[in-house]
Amino acid sequence: MDQRERARRAASARKATGGLVARGVTAVAVTWVDTSGISRVKAVPLSRLEHAAAWGIGASPVFDAFLLDDSIMSGRFAGGPVGDLRLHPDLDRLAVLTALPGWAWAPADRYDQDGMPHQLDARYLARREVDRLAAGGFSVRASFEVEWAASVGDGDDFVPACTGPAYGMTRLTERSGYLRDVVGALTAAGIAVEQIHPEYAAGQYEVSVAAEDPIGAADTTVLVRETIRAVSLNHGLRATFSPKVLAGGVGNGAHVHLSLWRDGANLMAGGDGRYGLTGTGEAFAAGILSRLPALLAVGAPSVASYLRLVPSHWAGAFACWGLENREAAIRFVTGSAGDRSRAANLEVKCFDAAANPYLAVAVLLAAGRAGVAEGGTLPEPVEVDPRSLGTVTPLPSSLGAALQAFETDAVLKDALGEAMIDTIALVRRGEIALFEGADPEEIAARTRWKH
Ligand code: GLU
Ligand code: MG
């Protein structure tokens, strides 16, 4: 953060302030996402926004070592009472939160007091991966699907907000005002909503948003979730994005859609590989597929994630890929004939919303880039329910198993750096210990209102 960048950020704050005043904004919430996938916040009144943009808002680095129950680990690179960072709101992503009247929001970039990026800042690590791909002439378009479950009242027990059939119009009708306000608040926040629908599980809904650059997609998913949370509270509901709301039900995924682009062309389409994949697009996908066990330590990072990641729940619990296969960890989507050069993409289904979306982006891009460097190829696609074959390898069935793969993966080590690898492992071990001996009901209940 040099003087020039400070001046640029201060100028953006000055430029934004008039519009914010006109829209009745009093204060700006500045969020970052911790290692456990929880958005943490500091806020400033509008009068302080310019100072915050240029000089940052003080915040302890301790949150990198927080577990989902707010207990704190003590590690080599994170934890403990000492130190202070600077949160610089990125005003390029400023949004007005109409569901929280008087509030605007911006994501934070975390720097140290010498103006260097904090080595555990997930948004910084994601940007570094975007830049590495760009150095090879590539860009990625991404989006996170958002599934959530809405519960009536403010109690800790889950009371589904709708009782109609899965995907049923009844569920929309039961909560039409709520869903209208979700769409309205997202649109007012500048989100390009593509669709909204009732999902399968009790009280479950889903929003899809347009693809954008990877950092934008991660920012968007934070904004979408916090907006849904706010609209829910305004309607006397409680929203949860937890991977497994009820031990017996279908979970909430946070599927990540990715397409790789070079020279204005989508490399997921127009090639002579299977389903139109180009060789480079296939290699990118292969880099991800071959590293899924390790990637899960970031993308399915909670003990509850492994209650969700089971066969026959459309969570993508098998280490395979297939065209429009909703049980494959990677569902390949071509889009409609005539629109494929725009629409074709990979959907990484096994990720959930306990993942820090910036870290998710960072590791997916790193794995894809490694695949391209290796000239990776995909195995045969799976065109049936993988379970029925009996030969397709399931993904790790526990966080501990995913962590083992993660800690020995050289590509992820290079992407995230030793400090982040060590801190992720620290937090994952802490959460494994936290739930030691707990049965699925207890894991679901204790995770339910955290994300
Ligand atoms: N809710 C499912 C999950 O846990 C996904 C359902 C779907 O394919 O949209 O990922
Ligand atoms: Mg869905």
Side-chain angles (χ1 to χ4, degrees):
M1 178 79 43
D2 56 18
Q3 290 306 326
R4 225 182 128 112
E5 179 62 9
R6 290 189 200 280
R8 189 190 74 78
R9 290 190 182 227
S12 325
R14 282 195 300 275
K15 200 166 153 225
T17 301
L20 292 175
V21 170
R23 294 184 70 182
V25 169
T26 303
V28 181
V30 181
T31 62
W32 72 103
V33 184
D34 73 13
T35 323
S36 267
I38 294 172
S39 289
R40 309 276 175 181
V41 68
K42 286 243 174 153
V44 288
L46 210 45
S47 57
R48 189 74 178 169
L49 186 62
E50 182 180 336
H51 184 274
W55 296 102
I57 305 163
S60 166
V62 75
F63 302 99
D64 296 319
F66 264 48
L67 306 186
L68 52 61
D69 70 339
D70 293 343
S71 56
I72 303 170
M73 301 295 287
S74 176
R76 276 201 297 149
F77 300 95
V82 180
D84 207 36
L85 298 172
R86 295 291 176 262
L87 311 174
H88 291 262
D90 182 348
L91 299 180
D92 293 342
R93 267 318 296 257
L94 188 68
V96 176
L97 303 177
T98 55
L100 293 179
W103 286 92
W105 165 89
D109 291 312
R110 295 187 300 160
Y111 283 78
D112 67 20
Q113 292 183 26
D114 292 323
M116 297 304 287
H118 175 46
Q119 61 177 345
L120 297 175
D121 185 49
R123 200 167 184 262
Y124 161 70
L125 294 171
R127 192 179 301 289
R128 194 167 70 178
E129 282 309 310
V130 169
D131 291 346
R132 284 176 175 165
L133 268 173
F138 297 106
S139 64
V140 163
R141 312 265 308 150
S143 72
F144 288 82
E145 287 182 17
V146 177
E147 292 185 334
W148 79 100
S151 178
V152 178
D154 56 8
D156 286 345
D157 286 344
F158 183 78
V159 182
C162 54
T163 54
Y167 300 87
M169 179 63 192
T170 304
R171 284 196 187 183
L172 187 151
T173 304
E174 286 176 88
R175 291 288 170 188
S176 66
Y178 169 55
L179 297 177
R180 177 205 61 216
D181 287 354
V182 167
V183 173
L186 291 174
T187 305
I191 305 287
V193 176
E194 292 202 330
Q195 59 165 281
I196 185 163
H197 66 265
E199 251 287 346
Y200 188 86
Q204 193 180 33
Y205 292 101
E206 173 173 337
V207 160
S208 317
V209 298
E212 57 195 306
D213 73 274
I215 308 297
D219 289 337
T220 291
T221 206
V222 171
L223 179 56
V224 169
R225 284 184 217 157
E226 298 315 321
T227 299
I228 290 172
R229 205 186 311 280
V231 175
S232 303
L233 286 170
N234 292 345
H235 280 263
L237 303 173
R238 219 174 163 189
T240 167
F241 304 87
S242 169
K244 196 78 163 179
V245 177
L246 296 170
V250 165
N252 290 317
H255 311 165
V256 191
H257 291 263
L258 297 166
S259 54
L260 181 69
W261 294 68
R262 187 175 49 200
D263 300 328
N266 181 0
L267 301 177
M268 301 300 166
D272 50 17
R274 285 159 289 185
Y275 315 123
L277 270 168
T278 67
T280 310
E282 173 171 346
F284 187 84
I288 293 173
L289 180 62
S290 65
R291 290 179 180 80
L292 278 178
L295 294 172
L296 285 184
V298 170
S302 193
V303 171
S305 299
Y306 296 82
L307 300 178
R308 163 184 172 260
L309 205 52
V310 292
S312 306
H313 285 59
W314 288 16
F318 288 95
C320 62
W321 75 293
L323 180 65
E324 296 290 7
N325 191 334
R326 288 181 170 79
E327 275 288 284
I330 297 184
R331 169 186 171 208
F332 187 58
V333 177
T334 60
S336 308
D339 191 30
R340 295 195 166 136
S341 58
R342 185 196 62 83
N345 69 85
L346 310 175
E347 179 184 23
V348 179
K349 290 207 67 162
C350 47
F351 280 26
D352 65 55
N356 176 317
Y358 303 99
L359 291 180
V361 156
V363 295
L364 287 169
L365 266 51
R369 185 167 54 86
V372 172
E374 294 154 359
T377 54
L378 287 167
E380 284 305 306
V382 173
E383 290 167 342
V384 295
D385 184 343
R387 185 183 216 172
S388 69
L389 295 175
T391 52
V392 184
T393 318
L395 289 174
S397 58
S398 71
L399 183 54
L403 189 56
Q404 208 165 18
F406 173 78
E407 286 186 287
T408 51
D409 191 292
V411 166
L412 298 190
K413 190 159 195 167
D414 172 62
L416 299 178
E418 189 194 353
M420 193 44 136
I421 296 282
D422 190 85
T423 303
I424 288 172
L426 173 81
V427 168
R428 301 295 174 266
R429 287 212 178 82
E431 292 196 359
I432 291 169
L434 201 61
F435 289 105
E436 187 76 54
D439 64 20
E441 270 78 22
E442 186 185 340
I443 295 168
R446 284 168 57 194
T447 308
R448 189 175 297 142
W449 301 113
K450 302 303 184 190
H451 296 100

